[in-house]
Amino acid sequence: MQKLMSHAVGIDQGEAVLFQDFQDGGSMWTGDGHRERRQRIRFSEKFRKRPVVHCSLTLWDVDSSANVRADVQADRIGDDGFDIVFRTWGDSRIARARVGWMAIGEVGGPGDWDV
């Protein structure tokens, strides 16, 4: 558990379209086996230290003739941003995916000094 020691807590959030592979025959739509996409997200301002980040699918368009498999997570979390990672495997065919995210952590307050 992360305990926040500051009275100033920041919440940043957004969404990212990770891919739209049905349009150009990309590997998420046409491939098989292990496939991964990453996208770097920058926070609107820095946190004091590494925040907690939550990711979830807000849109996914999949082929109904194959198994549906997906793993979505935040990776390389720092005080200024993180990577959204989407993975699939086997015969899953994913046409497109959009991921929503939220980061919560300590931020600097108006009375803080930058030394």
Side-chain angles (χ1 to χ4, degrees):
M1 172 184 295
Q2 185 178 80
K3 294 183 179 183
L4 304 174
M5 304 303 290
S6 170
H7 68 282
V9 176
I11 300 173
D12 203 354
Q13 63 182 356
E15 285 188 320
V17 175
L18 277 98
F19 57 88
Q20 297 189 57
D21 280 10
F22 69 95
Q23 291 179 329
D24 60 5
S27 65
M28 288 293 189
W29 183 243
T30 61
D32 61 7
H34 179 79
R35 287 156 284 154
E36 175 181 293
R37 293 288 169 86
R38 290 177 170 264
Q39 184 172 332
R40 187 72 184 165
I41 301 295
R42 297 279 177 201
F43 299 133
S44 58
E45 64 181 75
K46 277 187 165 187
F47 287 88
R48 277 188 163 178
K49 57 184 179 182
R50 192 173 93 161
V52 173
V53 178
H54 172 78
C55 293
S56 63
L57 285 168
T58 58
L59 167 95
W60 70 333
D61 184 2
V62 299
D63 181 355
S64 64
S65 68
N67 289 317
V68 178
R69 303 173 183 95
D71 175 26
V72 176
Q73 59 184 283
D75 189 30
R76 297 181 48 219
I77 301 168
D79 60 357
D80 63 343
F82 71 101
D83 289 350
I84 294 175
V85 182
F86 180 97
R87 294 182 183 99
T88 192
W89 58 95
D91 63 347
S92 296
R93 291 171 32 105
I94 316 294
R96 56 189 167 166
R98 183 177 65 221
V99 175
W101 59 270
M102 181 183 303
I104 302 172
E106 292 182 26
V107 294
D112 291 348
W113 292 7
D114 186 17
V115 250

